Amino acid sequence: SKIQRCVFSDSQAGAIELRGASEIEVLDNTFHKTYRTAVWVTKESVPGSITIRGNVAMETLRHPRDIGFFRPFAAFLLELQLRELSGNVAAGSTGSGFVIRPSVGSCDANPPALRHEELNEAVACVT
């Protein structure tokens, strides 16, 4: 299945939540002013089966009801190993741009170099 070339704007509870998902591609979507997350892949999904490529998340905001306690959030909140994570941009998040739990690899490895369009970027995010 694919979620492709969609625009999500002013989402009150996040835009895309993949819980228990498998074999899904999230491609070339635009997220603007979403609360808490633009894309959240939960640990109940199938590891290694989800692709997130070419998406732009602008202004991922803390939900107004979250005042008074700290709830970590990110434009892209990923709780398991994906098949692919490339070419995504998180811009202007009042939380994190990307949160990946657990870690998806060792920094000691020598992976092949990525082309510029394959890189993920977090720009002007708070953390």
Side-chain angles (χ1 to χ4, degrees):
S1 297
K2 291 183 183 182
I3 302 170
Q4 186 171 20
R5 295 187 193 115
C6 297
V7 175
F8 300 86
S9 185
D10 297 310
S11 299
Q12 294 294 307
I16 295 176
E17 179 178 334
L18 301 175
R19 181 178 301 273
S22 66
E23 301 305 322
I24 301 254
E25 295 181 45
V26 180
L27 307 170
D28 305 317
N29 298 289
T30 301
F31 306 91
H32 182 244
K33 289 188 179 178
T34 55
Y35 287 119
R36 296 189 181 120
T37 59
V39 178
W40 180 14
V41 181
T42 71
K43 61 187 174 188
E44 293 84 13
S45 295
V46 177
S49 70
I50 296 170
T51 296
I52 300 176
R53 181 179 349 114
N55 300 284
V56 176
M58 300 171 285
E59 292 188 82
T60 304
L61 308 170
R62 179 172 306 285
H63 196 282
R65 289 189 221 149
D66 290 348
I67 293 174
F69 66 96
F70 180 73
R71 176 181 174 170
F73 67 98
F76 296 89
L77 179 56
L78 313 169
E79 296 183 343
L80 54 79
Q81 175 82 37
L82 302 177
R83 177 186 303 134
E84 179 184 344
L85 176 67
S86 67
N88 300 290
V89 176
S93 173
T94 57
S96 298
F98 295 85
V99 170
I100 302 171
R101 303 183 288 229
S103 64
V104 295
S106 169
C107 293
D108 298 351
N110 292 318
L114 295 173
R115 296 185 313 256
H116 179 72
E117 63 272 9
E118 294 176 315
L119 300 175
N120 296 292
E121 293 184 63
V123 180
C125 296
V126 173
T127 59

